[in-house]
Every structure is written in structure tokens, then in C-alpha cells.
Amino acid sequence: MNYELRIMNKKEKGFSLLELLIYIALLSIVTLIIAGTFISINRGRGQAEAVSEVNSNLRFAFEKISQDLRFADSVTTPSSAGATSTSLVVNVSGSAVTYCVVDGKLKRQVNGSCVVGSESVTSDTVAVKNFVFRRIENTNAFFSKTVVSIEINLTMDYNSSSPDWQYSGSKKTTISLR
């Protein structure tokens, strides 16, 4: 009887190999579920960040260009109706303001051509892929007046090597000169 008590005491003090394997399996399953959830949340955050950054840069670029076009005395480039150009040159209060793309960044230069040291309109987190201006002229024969508008087409990509964080956004608008 004394021997049976010792065997029972040994069983109560530790885990069996089967119990240990079950605990490890359950712990592994819970860890996989938590890791999968974390990866999904991180992927979603990255995609939301990419969309937000591209859209923010698009809005800012269009607002900056719109301000210059609204106060422009004339548009030098594109020069004729229907003409397209990858740069925009407007004359604002006697100063030539130039917009162009240098190394994937939208640049703005006053009284000069776009160079690497020009003011960046877009951030380093996006790359400008398409930047086209088209001049539109509408002539009203009754009033003998021509209204000049500039159509802007801009496409940006989010700079990321991760396929989960890829996003490309485009915007197209037309702005009339005063």
C-alpha cells in the first residue's frame, strides 16, 4: 500500500508527456492566430497609409497649381489650343512660375527652370508617374471673348518595395484662367 501511495504522489506532481504535447499544440495554435491577426492589421495599416499619402500629395499639388493658375496673367506653356506639355509655365505678377517633374518629384520654380534644387511640391514618399498639361481655349463668338483653361492630369505612386503597400492614384481636373 505504501508503494501505491508513492506512485500516486509521483503522478500528481508532474505532467505526462501527452498532457505536455497537448499544451504545446494549443499554445502554438493561439500564437498562430495572434500572429496572423497582427500581420493582417499591419498590412491594412500600410495600405491605408499609402492611400492617404498619395491622395494627400495629389490634393496639395492640385491646390498649389490652382492657386498659381487663378492668379496667372498668362500661360506660356502649353502655348496653343489643344497642345499638351509635361511642364507648366505661368506668369504671375511678372514672375515666371514653372512646374515640372524632376527625379519623380513635382517641382515648382519661380523665375527659372526646374532643377534639382527647386521647391518640391510632393513628398519623398510618392513618385510622380504622369504629369501632363493640356491647353483648352473656348471662344464665345457673340462676346468675342476667349476663355483659356488648363487641364491637369497627374498620377502618383506610393514609394514602397513591399507589395502590400503599393498604391497608385490619379486625378484630372480643368482650371480656368481669370
Side-chain angles (χ1 to χ4, degrees):
M1 189 127 158
N2 200 4
Y3 178 72
E4 286 178 16
L5 276 173
R6 276 193 227 156
I7 291 177
M8 288 184 90
N9 284 341
K10 280 188 178 182
K11 277 191 175 182
E12 290 176 11
K13 287 183 181 179
F15 296 108
S16 71
L17 183 59
L18 182 60
E19 289 173 327
L20 190 59
L21 288 174
I22 291 172
Y23 294 140
I24 291 173
L26 288 175
L27 185 63
S28 298
I29 291 170
V30 169
T31 304
L32 284 174
I33 291 171
I34 291 171
T37 303
F38 177 74
I39 290 170
S40 295
I41 288 170
N42 194 32
R43 181 178 296 145
R45 182 192 61 80
Q47 289 171 346
E49 181 181 317
V51 169
S52 174
E53 189 67 26
V54 168
N55 289 336
S56 174
N57 274 271
L58 279 169
R59 279 191 306 274
F60 181 75
F62 272 92
E63 185 59 35
K64 192 78 166 162
I65 295 168
S66 296
Q67 285 175 354
D68 284 336
L69 283 172
R70 285 193 181 98
F71 294 112
D73 302 322
S74 64
V75 175
T76 307
T77 307
S79 57
S80 60
T84 60
S85 176
T86 56
S87 65
L88 174 69
V89 180
V90 296
N91 297 313
V92 180
S93 303
S95 298
V97 178
T98 305
Y99 285 92
C100 63
V101 176
V102 177
D103 296 332
K105 291 186 181 89
L106 179 60
K107 300 284 189 170
R108 178 182 186 268
Q109 179 68 38
V110 178
N111 291 329
S113 61
C114 286
V115 292
V116 177
S118 301
E119 170 190 357
S120 285
V121 177
T122 57
S123 69
D124 293 337
T125 57
V126 297
V128 177
K129 293 298 179 190
N130 182 31
F131 190 56
V132 178
F133 295 100
R134 186 167 66 103
R135 185 182 184 114
I136 302 169
E137 293 182 3
N138 295 319
T139 303
N140 185 332
F142 184 73
F143 291 112
S144 298
K145 182 172 178 161
T146 300
V147 176
V148 177
S149 300
I150 301 296
E151 179 185 85
I152 307 165
N153 190 354
L154 181 59
T155 302
M156 292 183 190
D157 292 342
Y158 188 74
N159 280 338
S160 176
S161 57
S162 170
D164 296 333
W165 290 37
Q166 295 298 316
Y167 181 74
S168 180
S170 294
K171 189 172 181 181
K172 185 178 188 179
T173 192
T174 303
I175 300 167
S176 295
L177 301 178
R178 57 178 172 104

